[in-house]
Amino acid sequence: QVQLVESGGGLVQPGGSQRLSCVAFGTTFSINAMGWYRQAPGKQRELVAFINSAGSTNFADVVKGRFTISRDNAKNTVYLQMNSLKPEDTAVYYCYVSEYFGNRYWGQGTQVTVSS
């Protein structure tokens, strides 16, 4: 079992930056990929970005060039650095991890609101 604790959400102005963090606890040796989804009101949850154990990354087209993802394996933590934020980035952001043998775990979600 893996438990995830997210932090870093809040209110930010358009054009601003914010960093989300997600710490994994439990059987962390089994983690392969770590990443983030988001869900805006009235919309489906969508993948934002992920990073695998080899350090390869993948981003949704709508955030490419603005968001970066990184992980600190010693701290079992994944970070999402969000720059040049837009109102359409407003959503609840969910951290997730995927294990090598297929299980996926989710964080509780953290609200990011981009508004002036």
Side-chain angles (χ1 to χ4, degrees):
Q1 291 284 332
V2 176
Q3 298 80 43
L4 302 173
V5 178
E6 302 156 351
S7 60
L11 176 65
V12 62
Q13 291 190 339
S17 298
Q18 200 161 48
R19 189 176 81 157
L20 305 181
S21 301
C22 175
V23 183
F25 300 91
T27 54
T28 57
F29 63 87
S30 63
I31 293 173
N32 178 14
M34 305 180 79
W36 299 86
Y37 275 72
R38 69 186 183 185
Q39 187 167 20
K43 295 187 176 182
Q44 289 189 328
R45 191 175 293 193
E46 62 177 359
L47 176 66
V48 177
F50 71 85
I51 180 169
N52 66 16
S53 58
S56 296
T57 59
N58 197 311
F59 296 90
D61 287 343
V62 293
V63 305
K64 282 182 180 177
R66 300 188 296 122
F67 291 11
T68 59
I69 189 170
S70 59
R71 63 192 281 178
D72 184 334
N73 291 326
K75 296 181 178 180
N76 297 313
T77 301
V78 61
Y79 304 97
L80 184 69
Q81 178 66 44
M82 305 182 292
N83 300 324
S84 302
L85 283 161
K86 304 175 181 180
E88 51 263 44
D89 294 317
T90 295
V92 178
Y93 285 70
Y94 296 91
C95 172
Y96 81 95
V97 300
S98 294
E99 295 183 316
Y100 287 101
F101 31 84
N103 295 328
R104 179 171 287 193
Y105 299 94
W106 295 91
Q108 78 281 5
T110 185
Q111 176 70 46
V112 173
T113 301
V114 185
S115 175
S116 55

